[in-house]
Amino acid sequence: MQNSDAMALTAALLAAAGGLTQRIHEGVVARGFEGVRPAHGFAFVRLAPDGATVTDLAVHLGVTKQAASQLVDELVRKGYAERRPHPVDARARLVVMTEAGWACTRAAEAAAAEAVGAWAEVLGEDGVRALRDGLLRVAPGGPIRPSW
């Protein structure tokens, strides 16, 4: 692959990811979850299903522990998460989503389905499946991080 082709693919993937993030955020807000930011959704990915420590969240998001702690403070203040005693480490606190956090996550899933549905109108169902399968081969695991 030539450099120009690689750069075109890179730009297209980043634009698609940014557009998808924006569509999901708009869908969440339209479903009544005001005061949330896309960064909250990236945190929810790590907090679901069993919670995480602030340190775990910082690693997942690629930010400092202080930044992750501030994000957790905001999620707790807004009622989307709560801190609980860690079941194994008495020195740590576990951050878990509240019912409001889970409801917000369900709203994000519905918004994501709508956004990907729009892609299916362009690429067709088989095209979307092929895109998904190809991307899962290239990026099978890893943390889902915002591009700050």
Side-chain angles (χ1 to χ4, degrees), residues 15-70:
L20 183 60
T21 300
Q22 185 62 35
R23 296 259 331 250
I24 292 170
H25 175 69
E26 290 168 355
V28 167
V29 171
R31 287 167 172 81
F33 293 91
E34 295 189 23
V36 294
R37 299 180 289 126
H40 297 146
F42 289 102
F44 290 161
V45 167
R46 179 61 186 94
L47 296 179
D50 299 321
T53 64
V54 169
T55 300
D56 295 334
L57 189 58
V59 169
H60 171 78
L61 294 173
V63 299
T64 65
K65 285 190 276 186
Q66 292 81 5
S69 183
Q70 290 174 349

Side-chain angles (χ1 to χ4, degrees), residues 16-144:
L20 183 60
T21 300
Q22 185 62 35
R23 296 259 331 250
I24 292 170
H25 175 69
E26 290 168 355
V28 167
V29 171
R31 287 167 172 81
F33 293 91
E34 295 189 23
V36 294
R37 299 180 289 126
H40 297 146
F42 289 102
F44 290 161
V45 167
R46 179 61 186 94
L47 296 179
D50 299 321
T53 64
V54 169
T55 300
D56 295 334
L57 189 58
V59 169
H60 171 78
L61 294 173
V63 299
T64 65
K65 285 190 276 186
Q66 292 81 5
S69 183
Q70 290 174 349
L71 182 64
V72 168
D73 288 345
E74 185 178 0
L75 290 172
V76 168
R77 199 171 44 255
K78 292 176 186 262
Y80 293 115
E82 63 185 15
R83 289 182 174 92
R84 293 184 182 164
H86 196 284
V88 177
D89 185 350
R91 298 167 299 153
R93 303 279 289 165
L94 192 65
V95 181
V96 297
M97 292 192 322
T98 62
E99 181 50 43
W102 285 109
C104 187
T105 298
R106 289 188 296 272
E109 289 171 354
E114 288 174 1
V116 172
W119 290 2
E121 292 175 15
V122 175
L123 301 174
E125 293 289 334
D126 289 341
V128 170
R129 273 192 289 282
L131 176 63
R132 178 201 62 206
D133 293 346
L135 290 173
L136 286 173
R137 282 195 308 274
V138 172
I144 299 173

